[in-house]
Amino acid sequence: MKHRDISMYMMSKVILPLALILLPAVVRSAPVTQVQMDAVGRLADYNGVALACRQFDEVKRIKQILIDNLPKRRELGQLFEDRTNESFVAFTGARKPCPSPAEFAEHVDEAAAALRQSFAQ
């Protein structure tokens, strides 16, 4: 398999299960704020980079952060999926070097804290 085929396969193995977790039970609650959407989008951007860089432990960690902190809302799952795909394509197209695992984990930690804070309100 080519690198792109493997990456797309991995995306389908990660994104589809996450979408199935986040999408089915739409919970009636307050509307999602822009701050919350930005926080989900930021983690999705990191998820796309993690997939492109084959940092699968971070992909799993991001998925768990979302499961633990987000309400089950269709628009959040769709936003995460769309932004992950955009980030993956942009990162692989730019041919940037992958961040070090330690540096990347710090960025994910910061994004996770922002997500938790935005949904705690």
Side-chain angles (χ1 to χ4, degrees), residues 21-42:
I21 289 168
L22 293 175
L23 296 178
V26 177
V27 176
R28 292 187 187 258
S29 61
V32 178
T33 67
Q34 187 62 49
V35 171
Q36 291 169 328
M37 290 192 314
D38 291 345
V40 171
R42 185 172 170 203

Side-chain angles (χ1 to χ4, degrees), residues 63-70 116:
K63 178 180 171 182
Q64 193 61 51
I65 290 166
L66 294 174
I67 291 168
D68 292 345
N69 294 283
L70 292 184
R116 287 183 190 105

Side-chain angles (χ1 to χ4, degrees), residues 11-22:
M11 285 179 63
S12 70
K13 289 295 187 183
V14 174
I15 292 174
L16 182 60
L18 181 60
L20 292 174
I21 289 168
L22 293 175

Side-chain angles (χ1 to χ4, degrees), residues 13-106:
K13 289 295 187 183
V14 174
I15 292 174
L16 182 60
L18 181 60
L20 292 174
I21 289 168
L22 293 175
L23 296 178
V26 177
V27 176
R28 292 187 187 258
S29 61
V32 178
T33 67
Q34 187 62 49
V35 171
Q36 291 169 328
M37 290 192 314
D38 291 345
V40 171
R42 185 172 170 203
L43 269 175
D45 290 342
Y46 287 130
N47 195 55
V49 173
L51 286 166
C53 293
R54 306 180 62 78
Q55 292 188 17
F56 299 124
D57 287 340
E58 286 300 316
V59 171
K60 289 162 75 173
R61 187 164 76 104
I62 291 168
K63 178 180 171 182
Q64 193 61 51
I65 290 166
L66 294 174
I67 291 168
D68 292 345
N69 294 283
L70 292 184
K72 290 175 174 56
R73 303 275 305 257
R74 180 177 309 276
E75 67 267 29
L76 295 175
Q78 189 64 51
L79 170 65
F80 184 80
E81 183 176 346
D82 292 347
R83 286 281 294 266
T84 294
N85 288 333
E86 291 168 11
S87 173
F88 177 86
V89 169
F91 189 85
T92 55
R95 299 188 187 270
K96 294 180 183 177
C98 290
S100 72
E103 176 187 357
F104 192 73
E106 285 180 33

